[in-house]
């Protein structure tokens, strides 16, 4: 009887896991050969077809005070994110904001039942990644997708300067 209960509990967990969709974002920050290099500020969010923010996934910025002051001062340089969501947030935001990342590849994974994705209604969305760098440029990459995913899918885009390869992997 006890083993039957354990099997039922495991089956229940597996069914719940199968019905949740997951989202993985890979972001490459290229190493630029410039005289004064600063790590980019990066915002990653999901927007609706009406270009409204459905979920903020990550904001990477300088979180400690430096010679130029606090890093929050430069968050408006992430123009699209700032206009749509950033200026209404009190930074830092738990589970979203973090320190800037060095050049290289970075992976972020989100559980469909987690706080970032659980409120998404079925429909069309766009993953938006915006990067802005002091004494540098600004770049925006968008990847449209359907939520929840009916099958596993991966979409990849490539930035031209501030962002390298960016991919979105959906797992039903």
């Amino acid at each position: 009887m006890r083993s039957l209960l354990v099997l039922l509990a495991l089956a229940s967990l597996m069914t719940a896991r199968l019905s949740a969709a997951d989202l993985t974002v890979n972001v490459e920050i290229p190493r630029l050969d410039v005289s004064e290099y600063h790590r980019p500020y990066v915002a990653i969010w999901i927007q609706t077809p009406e270009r409204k923010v459905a979920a903020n996934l990550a904001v990477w910025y300088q979180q400690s005070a430096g010679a130029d002051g606090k890093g929050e001062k430069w968050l408006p340089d992430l123009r699209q994110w700032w206009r749509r969501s950033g200026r209404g947030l009190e930074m830092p935001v738990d589970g979203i904001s973090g320190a800037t990342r060095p050049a290289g590849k970075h992976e972020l994974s989100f559980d469909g039942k987690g706080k970032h994705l659980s409120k998404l209604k079925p429909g069309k969305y766009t993953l938006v990644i915006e990067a802005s760098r002091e004494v540098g440029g600004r770049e925006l990459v968008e990847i449209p997708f359907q939520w929840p995913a009916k099958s596993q899918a991966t979409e990849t885009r490539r930035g031209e300067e501030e962002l390298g390869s960016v991919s979105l992997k959906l797992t039903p």
Side-chain angles (χ1 to χ4, degrees), residues 2-16:
R2 187 176 192 169
S3 62
L4 180 60
L5 289 174
V6 170
L7 283 174
L8 287 172
L10 286 173
S12 174
L13 285 174
M14 291 178 69
T15 303

Side-chain angles (χ1 to χ4, degrees), residues 128-145:
V128 185
I129 299 100
E130 182 175 23
S132 179
R133 194 170 48 84
E134 183 180 350
V135 195
R138 190 184 73 81
E139 188 162 35
L140 189 86
V141 174
E142 298 181 336
I143 302 175
F145 66 97

Side-chain angles (χ1 to χ4, degrees), residues 1-135:
M1 182 66 172
R2 187 176 192 169
S3 62
L4 180 60
L5 289 174
V6 170
L7 283 174
L8 287 172
L10 286 173
S12 174
L13 285 174
M14 291 178 69
T15 303
R17 182 71 188 147
L18 290 174
S19 64
D22 295 330
L23 185 147
T24 302
V25 179
N26 283 290
V27 177
E28 180 183 23
I29 297 174
R31 177 74 183 156
L32 302 175
D33 190 21
V34 293
S35 61
E36 188 176 347
Y37 180 79
H38 298 274
R39 291 180 180 183
Y41 282 25
V42 176
I44 303 170
W45 72 96
I46 295 172
Q47 70 181 19
T48 66
E50 296 79 27
R51 305 184 82 68
K52 294 184 178 180
V53 174
N56 280 303
L57 300 179
V59 179
W60 302 336
Y61 68 100
Q62 177 188 337
Q63 296 190 308
S64 60
D68 299 333
K70 269 189 112 175
E72 292 177 13
K73 176 181 177 182
W74 307 109
L75 283 172
D77 286 352
L78 294 166
R79 293 183 203 147
Q80 296 297 316
W81 171 77
W82 184 255
R83 289 180 188 141
R84 294 186 180 133
S85 177
R87 63 181 161 199
L89 298 174
E90 187 172 329
M91 302 302 282
V93 178
D94 188 33
I96 294 173
S97 55
T100 56
R101 307 276 174 106
K105 296 180 179 181
H106 306 278
E107 182 175 293
L108 301 160
S109 295
F110 302 94
D111 183 343
K113 291 186 173 185
K115 74 176 189 180
H116 295 96
L117 305 178
S118 64
K119 295 178 182 169
L120 290 183
K121 296 177 181 172
K124 293 181 180 180
Y125 293 95
T126 302
L127 174 73
V128 185
I129 299 100
E130 182 175 23
S132 179
R133 194 170 48 84
E134 183 180 350
V135 195

